[in-house]
C-alpha cells in the first residue's frame, strides 16, 4: 500500500461491508436455528420408509447443515472484514499523526515513484518568509520519521494483503455450498496461512533431513491446526500433490538412515496417521460442521 492510498483512504465502503456481513450472519444464525430445530428435528423423528429412508432424510439433514455452514462462513467473513477495517483505520490515523509531527520539525513526507516515498525539508530556511522562524531538525529526526512511516505502510500492506488472501481461500474451499471454517479475526486467519507456508517450505527443503527439534515443532503445529481448514488448504496447495508425495517417499526411505529416522522412529507412524490434508483438489469434507457465533 503506497503513501497516498493509505493517507487519503476512504474506508466507508469497507465499514458498510462489515455491517452488511454482520447483519447477514445474524439472519443466517436465525435460519440455522430454525433449520436445525424444525427441518432437521422433524426429519430425524419422522418414520421414513423405502427410498425416503435413505435419500430424502439424508438430503434434508445435509440441507439443514448447510445453514450452519453458511452462517459460519458469513460470520468468519464479517469478523475478518471488521478486524481489517479496524487495523487500516488505525494505520491511517498513525500515518497522519506521524506526518503532523514531522511538520513540527520542518519535515514532510511526499510520494515517490513506484509506490515509494521520501522525507524532505518542508520549507528551506533561505526561502522562508521574512520574519518566519523555521523549525530545526536533525538527520536522526528525518531517519526516524522515514522508518516510522515505512513500518506503518508495511503493516497496512500486510493487513490488507493477508485479509484478501484469507477471504479468497475461505470462499474457495468448497466448490459448492459453504465452508465450515471459523475465524474470529484476520490475525488468526493470517497466522494460519503463514504457518502453513512455513511448514510447506520446511517439508520441501528439508524433508526427513529436518532436525528432531524441527520435527517436534512440526508435530505441535499440526496438532494445533488439526481442525483448521484454512491451514490445511494453504499447506496442501502450497506444497502441492507432488511435493507431498516426495516428502512421504523421503520419510519412508529406510536407506537414508538419517537422524530423524533414528531419533523419532517410534513417532513416525503416529505422525503419518495424524498428517491429514483435505484440500479442495483431493477430497470433499466429511466432518460435521462446527458452528461459531460472531464476536462483536
Amino acid at each position: 500500500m503506497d503513501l497516498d492510498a493509505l493517507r487519503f483512504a476512504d474506508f466507508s465502503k469497507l465499514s458498510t461491508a462489515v455491517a452488511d456481513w454482520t447483519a447477514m450472519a445474524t439472519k443466517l444464525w436465525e435460519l440455522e436455528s430454525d433449520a436445525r430445530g424444525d427441518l432437521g428435528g422433524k426429519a430425524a423423528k419422522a418414520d421414513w420408509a423405502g427410498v425416503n429412508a435413505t435419500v430424502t432424510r439424508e438430503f434434508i439433514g445435509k440441507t439443514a447443515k448447510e445453514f450452519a455452514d453458511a452462517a459460519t462462513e458469513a460470520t468468519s467473513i464479517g469478523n475478518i472484514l471488521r478486524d481489517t477495517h479496524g487495523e487500516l483505520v488505525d494505520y491511517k490515523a498513525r500515518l497522519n499523526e506521524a506526518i503532523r509531527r514531522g511538520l513540527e520539525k520542518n519535515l514532510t513526507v511526499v510520494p515517490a515513484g513506484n509506490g515509494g516515498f521520501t522525507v524532505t525539508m518542508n520549507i528551506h530556511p533561505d526561502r522562508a518568509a521574512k520574519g518566519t522562524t523555521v523549525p530545526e531538525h536533525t538527520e536522526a529526526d528525518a531517519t526516524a520519521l522515514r522508518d516510522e512511516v515505512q513500518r506503518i505502510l508495511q503493516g497496512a500492506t500486510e493487513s490488507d494483503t493477508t485479509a484478501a488472501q484469507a477471504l479468497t481461500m475461505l470462499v474457495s474451499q468448497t466448490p459448492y455450498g459453504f465452508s465450515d471454517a471459523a475465524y474470529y479475526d484476520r490475525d488468526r486467519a493470517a497466522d494460519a496461512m503463514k504457518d502453513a507456508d512455513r511448514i510447506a517450505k520446511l517439508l520441501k527443503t528439508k524433508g526427513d533431513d529436518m532436525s528432531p527439534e524441527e520435527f517436534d515443532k512440526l508435530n505441535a503445529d499440526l496438532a494445533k491446526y488439526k481442525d483448521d481448514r484454512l491451514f490445511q488448504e494453504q499447506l496442501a496447495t502450497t506444497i502441492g500433490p507432488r511435493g507431498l508425495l516426495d516428502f512421504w517417499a523421503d520419510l519412508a526411505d529406510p536407506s537414508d538412515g538419517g537422524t530423524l529416522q533414528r531419533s523419532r522412529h517410534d513417532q513416525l507412524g503416529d505422525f503419518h496417521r495424524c498428517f491429514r490434508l483435505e484440500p479442495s483438489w483431493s477430497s470433499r469434507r466429511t466432518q460435521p460442521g462446527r458452528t461459531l457465533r460472531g464476536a462483536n
Side-chain angles (χ1 to χ4, degrees), residues 68-145:
D69 289 349
T72 299
E73 184 168 316
T75 299
S76 295
I77 292 173
N79 288 341
I80 292 172
L81 289 175
R82 181 184 301 107
D83 194 43
T84 304
H85 175 269
E87 290 178 355
L88 291 177
V89 168
D90 180 63
Y91 281 125
K92 177 183 177 179
R94 288 167 55 188
L95 174 63
N96 284 305
E97 173 61 18
I99 292 174
R100 185 194 65 77
R101 285 188 278 102
L103 291 173
E104 292 179 351
K105 295 183 178 181
N106 195 30
L107 292 171
T108 187
V109 183
V110 296
N114 299 321
F117 69 90
T118 59
V119 175
T120 186
M121 189 181 297
N122 188 38
I123 302 175
H124 195 282
D126 295 342
R127 294 193 292 272
K130 186 176 182 180
T132 300
T133 301
V134 178
E136 295 183 356
H137 63 267
T138 65
E139 187 66 27
D141 291 331
T143 300
L145 178 58

